[in-house]
Amino acid sequence: MATYILRRILQVIPVFLGATLLIYFMVFAMPGDPIAALFGDKQPPPAVLERLRAQYLLDQPFIVQYLNYLGGIFRLDFGVTFSGQNVLDVLARTFPVTLRLAVLAILIAFVLAIVVGAGSALLKGTIFDHAMLVVALIFVAVPIFVLSFIAQFFLGVKLGWFSPTVGANNDWGDLWLPAIVLALSIYATSMRLTRSSTIETLGQDWVRTAYSKGLSRGRVIPVHVLRNSLIPMVTDTATQFGVLMVGATVTEGIFNVPGVGNTLYQAIIRHETPTVVSFVTIFVVVYVLINLLIDLLYGLLDPRIRYVR
């Protein structure tokens, strides 16, 4: 197990370098002058623009800019934004908000997927099973911004069950509505995966053996069936967590969530290379670490899985 963990940690290095290099190049290749865009129609003297470009190394070749940024990362210096804020300070302020939102959305989606998916598998072919399939297809078909506006209007404004916007007060209670929207946007895939996995597990020989030994349904289903059916579900949850961390931009914008999505979008518009690449770098590290944790959990969910040298 120790060898496997070390090997997976070493695999993070090329992923990290490749992701930062690609993102940095994409931002570098974007058309326009980010320094000139800061001033809008009222442009300062050319000498001021040149001084600002030199300050942010924008007058240097791409490889010089990237190596300087990479060296800063190893010194835990992610640079500063064009507004003069330290990127780490921006990350420290916005990342916990998006992390809370993603965790809450994953928990909601995970519980819904297990309950509804397992129920559909146990009631395969019934009205409940077909109804849940239709509901899942609706959530897949409806764009997330439409779902956000519907939930905001009916659940937030009309019924008043949740706060329609988040704003500066972004504790767990204020994030329920955007978290529900995000959870419903990924719920359908997870539910169908749980259903198919549970149906497949129910047909295994060792399940029939458990019943033949006299074990009750209340013992076989949660302990033997669901435990093994959760393996693909856990993998899907890890993938969905990464998607939520990066893809919550639209939801954060609609619900005015002061998280990473809003900040990243604004940084892309302003061509703030240090901010964009630093945020993406954090995403890569978080995503890889989550997948490493999920791989280690496999051995707990299924004793047959062992990582050996």
Side-chain angles (χ1 to χ4, degrees):
M1 182 67 77
T3 303
Y4 171 76
I5 295 175
L6 179 61
R7 186 169 65 249
R8 287 302 308 270
I9 292 176
L10 292 177
Q11 290 174 354
V12 174
I13 298 176
V15 173
F16 169 79
L17 294 176
T20 54
L21 178 63
L22 179 61
I23 297 301
Y24 205 100
F25 175 76
M26 293 174 63
V27 178
F28 177 84
M30 291 177 65
D33 185 353
I35 297 299
L38 290 175
F39 297 93
D41 296 332
K42 297 181 179 180
Q43 293 293 305
V48 176
L49 294 177
E50 292 299 326
R51 187 164 63 251
L52 288 174
R53 294 190 186 99
Q55 176 182 344
Y56 292 100
L57 299 181
L58 297 180
D59 58 343
Q60 299 294 323
F62 164 74
I63 190 64
V64 175
Q65 295 186 37
Y66 175 71
L67 291 178
N68 179 77
Y69 171 77
L70 202 60
I73 289 180
F74 290 117
R75 299 190 305 269
L76 296 181
D77 179 13
F78 287 79
V80 296
T81 67
F82 290 164
S83 59
Q85 301 181 75
N86 191 290
V87 173
L88 281 180
D89 293 338
V90 178
L91 274 171
R93 185 176 66 251
T94 59
F95 189 79
V97 180
T98 299
L99 183 61
R100 290 199 301 269
L101 179 61
V103 168
L104 193 57
I106 283 292
L107 290 177
I108 297 172
F110 192 78
V111 172
L112 282 176
I114 292 177
V115 174
V116 178
S120 296
L122 296 174
L123 300 174
K124 179 183 176 182
T126 63
I127 296 178
F128 176 82
D129 184 27
H130 295 307
M132 291 302 100
L133 173 60
V134 173
V135 172
L137 292 176
I138 292 176
F139 285 131
V140 170
V142 177
I144 191 170
F145 68 90
V146 175
L147 190 61
S148 297
F149 284 125
I150 292 176
Q152 189 178 48
F153 179 74
F154 286 101
L155 300 181
V157 178
K158 286 294 185 180
L159 299 177
W161 292 353
F162 305 96
S163 174
T165 58
V166 177
N169 298 323
N170 48 67
D171 55 17
W172 291 96
D174 295 317
L175 296 175
W176 269 102
L177 189 55
I180 290 174
V181 171
L182 286 174
L184 293 178
S185 68
I186 64 173
Y187 149 79
T189 303
S190 301
M191 188 276 287
R192 300 301 296 175
L193 183 62
T194 303
R195 177 186 180 275
S196 61
S197 179
T198 304
I199 291 175
E200 181 181 355
T201 305
L202 286 170
Q204 297 296 321
D205 292 337
W206 48 267
V207 174
R208 289 190 288 269
T209 302
Y211 279 123
S212 66
K213 289 182 177 180
L215 294 179
S216 64
R217 186 181 180 89
R219 173 72 177 175
V220 174
I221 297 300
V223 176
H224 298 279
V225 175
L226 287 183
R227 180 178 178 181
N228 289 274
S229 301
L230 284 180
I231 293 178
M233 176 61 180
V234 169
T235 305
D236 179 71
T237 300
T239 305
Q240 298 289 9
F241 188 85
V243 172
L244 288 179
M245 288 295 297
V246 181
T249 304
V250 174
T251 307
E252 287 187 0
I254 294 176
F255 291 98
N256 193 29
V257 180
V260 173
N262 267 337
T263 307
L264 182 60
Y265 173 76
Q266 296 299 327
I268 293 174
I269 296 298
R270 294 191 295 265
H271 296 192
E272 291 192 13
T273 306
T275 307
V276 175
V277 181
S278 297
F279 276 40
V280 175
T281 299
I282 298 298
F283 289 154
V284 171
V285 173
V286 170
Y287 188 77
V288 171
L289 291 179
I290 289 175
N291 278 272
L292 174 61
L293 178 61
I294 294 303
D295 287 344
L296 299 180
L297 286 176
Y298 283 167
L300 297 177
L301 292 174
D302 190 345
R304 296 171 297 177
I305 298 177
R306 291 292 184 268
Y307 296 106
V308 297
R309 182 176 302 179

